[in-house]
Amino acid sequence: MLTRTAEAAPARSSAGELRPHVRSLDGLRFLAALCVAIAHGYGYIVTTGATTAPSELELMILTLAAPGMTLFFVLSGFVIHLNYRDSVGDGGQRGTFNFFVARFARLYPLFLAVFAFEIGRLLWWRAPQHGFDVLTGVSFFLTFTQTWFVIPVQGHALFDHYATFSGLAQATGTMWSLSIEALFYVAYPWLARPLGRLRARRLAAVFAVVAVVNLSYFALAATHAGEIQKLGLAIYGTHDLAMGFLAWMTFYSPIGRITEFVLGALAAQHLCARTKAPWDRHAGFCSVLVAAALVLWYVLALRNRISGTLVFSGALTAALILLLAQHRTLLARAFGSAAMVWGGEASYSIYLLHWYVMNLWAAHYAAEQTPPVRLAIFAAAIAATLAISRVSYLVLERPAQQWLRRNLRRLRLGGTATRSTGSPA
């Protein structure tokens, strides 16, 4: 299939910058959020209370959050480097300041609204009177530092603190990834310049090394769970904290997740460097091939009882993102369709709000129903999640992001906003 390099028309961002909008990246972001919502919702609504073990198909559905999170982190590295490689990579204070303003405006408003609501619910349910410390974790969550380390609090890991009180604040359970993202944002100004210098063979070599490190880390974590748990028990002294340490090392840890972020950034650097590659002439075929390889990897991993992040490949994910962003293939156009972009714009709301629809509403009505009725309720809950998330994006996310960028950048250190490229981050 003949393709041509994507040349998206410039679109003016809320900050007044000009950037080409790579629509397929929005579609991938929607896919990532949808994977998480489907996995969690299916567990809440369909399989909770089931008397039989899940089938292979159900197991695939229930574990979709793992590839969804890998896609999130790799895509984040790709989009961040595509947008900010020049303004942050040149070492200028103005570009770095604008980068942090944009990141803060993107993540914080919706997070703050959800987190404040959850803290309010805990106080309404008088959690402190039941011996639950509501305030200990607040400063860590507000600064997005709760997942950087395994921090003990009341006998469990801090990143899962609020979900331990009868599940009433389970919406905070997804916030671990915001903490990891924030750490990547802190690290990126130091990564931007060395990444931006890579070209051709050196770029390919670094990508290969990071891919091996990524695979090795999660493979070692998955195959040495017992040793990791024993180490956690030796460090923290309790079974619950040892299990929290195991979960952190195998899934939540920034040690492994940063390799996914860097793989995405390296894929973006290939695009920015305009390096010719053998697959460019057959990008359509290669896109389908890589997508099929990812699905096959996922299926084989589950059949071999491999769990966690290892069920997906960060390197293949980065390759697929690059192909879809660089070439207007049939697959890229599918991900860049109006429906996929519509969902991609609301992906952050889908990620933070799906628990309310899936668990608080739908799971309640599905509890005493037959499996076919549960499936119908699950489908309705997915539709309701998308609709509510779209409203959240239009009413809260986008206006807050525009207001914060417009007003916070008045504090910049002089000069004008830098020009950036890529999909709105």
Side-chain angles (χ1 to χ4, degrees), residues 180 183-184 213 217-218 248-249 252-259:
I180 301 299
L183 183 58
F184 295 163
V213 172
Y217 175 86
F218 288 113
W248 186 80
M249 286 292 292
Y252 301 106
S253 170
I255 301 171
R257 292 296 183 177
I258 197 168
T259 60

Side-chain angles (χ1 to χ4, degrees), residues 30 32-42 44-45 110 174 342-363 376-394 397:
F30 177 44
L34 194 60
C35 282
V36 175
I38 288 174
H40 291 171
Y42 198 86
Y44 296 143
I45 300 167
L110 183 62
T174 58
W342 184 91
E345 291 174 339
S347 59
Y348 186 37
S349 286
I350 294 171
Y351 185 67
L352 282 185
L353 301 180
H354 71 271
W355 183 80
Y356 295 106
V357 179
M358 300 291 189
N359 191 285
L360 291 189
W361 172 69
I377 293 175
F378 169 68
I382 290 292
T385 297
L386 298 183
I388 291 171
S389 298
R390 184 64 186 182
V391 171
S392 169
Y393 166 73
L394 294 174
E397 269 196 78

Side-chain angles (χ1 to χ4, degrees), residues 100 104 107-108 111-112 115 135-149 151 158 162 175-186:
F100 283 117
F104 177 83
L107 293 184
Y108 218 79
F111 152 77
L112 187 60
F115 186 65
L135 299 180
T136 294
V138 168
S139 61
F140 291 94
F141 274 74
L142 290 178
T143 55
F144 287 160
T145 55
Q146 74 272 19
T147 321
W148 293 11
F149 307 97
I151 304 171
L158 176 64
Y162 294 105
M175 293 176 183
W176 69 271
S177 64
L178 307 186
S179 174
I180 301 299
E181 275 285 296
L183 183 58
F184 295 163
Y185 298 159
V186 172

Side-chain angles (χ1 to χ4, degrees), residues 24-59:
S24 58
L25 300 183
D26 282 330
L28 287 168
R29 189 180 291 114
F30 177 44
L31 176 63
L34 194 60
C35 282
V36 175
I38 288 174
H40 291 171
Y42 198 86
Y44 296 143
I45 300 167
V46 181
T47 62
T48 296
T51 57
T52 58
S55 64
E56 285 195 5
L57 177 59
E58 286 182 321
L59 185 60

Side-chain angles (χ1 to χ4, degrees), residues 10-149:
R12 187 169 295 275
S13 74
S14 60
E17 299 171 345
L18 290 175
R19 61 180 66 181
H21 182 192
V22 184
R23 294 172 60 89
S24 58
L25 300 183
D26 282 330
L28 287 168
R29 189 180 291 114
F30 177 44
L31 176 63
L34 194 60
C35 282
V36 175
I38 288 174
H40 291 171
Y42 198 86
Y44 296 143
I45 300 167
V46 181
T47 62
T48 296
T51 57
T52 58
S55 64
E56 285 195 5
L57 177 59
E58 286 182 321
L59 185 60
M60 289 184 64
I61 296 172
L62 291 169
T63 55
L64 277 174
M69 294 314 304
T70 294
L71 180 53
F72 262 132
F73 287 125
V74 178
L75 187 59
S76 174
F78 189 93
V79 173
I80 291 298
H81 191 65
L82 197 62
N83 278 282
Y84 299 103
R85 69 195 183 281
D86 294 328
S87 59
V88 175
D90 64 6
Q93 291 181 331
R94 183 175 69 246
T96 302
F97 176 76
N98 288 340
F99 165 71
F100 283 117
V101 166
R103 297 296 84 215
F104 177 83
R106 175 75 175 96
L107 293 184
Y108 218 79
L110 183 62
F111 152 77
L112 187 60
V114 174
F115 186 65
F117 181 74
E118 293 305 322
I119 294 298
R121 285 208 307 152
L122 288 170
L123 294 175
W124 176 264
W125 285 98
R126 300 181 179 179
Q129 295 183 19
H130 292 83
F132 184 80
D133 188 348
V134 175
L135 299 180
T136 294
V138 168
S139 61
F140 291 94
F141 274 74
L142 290 178
T143 55
F144 287 160
T145 55
Q146 74 272 19
T147 321
W148 293 11
F149 307 97

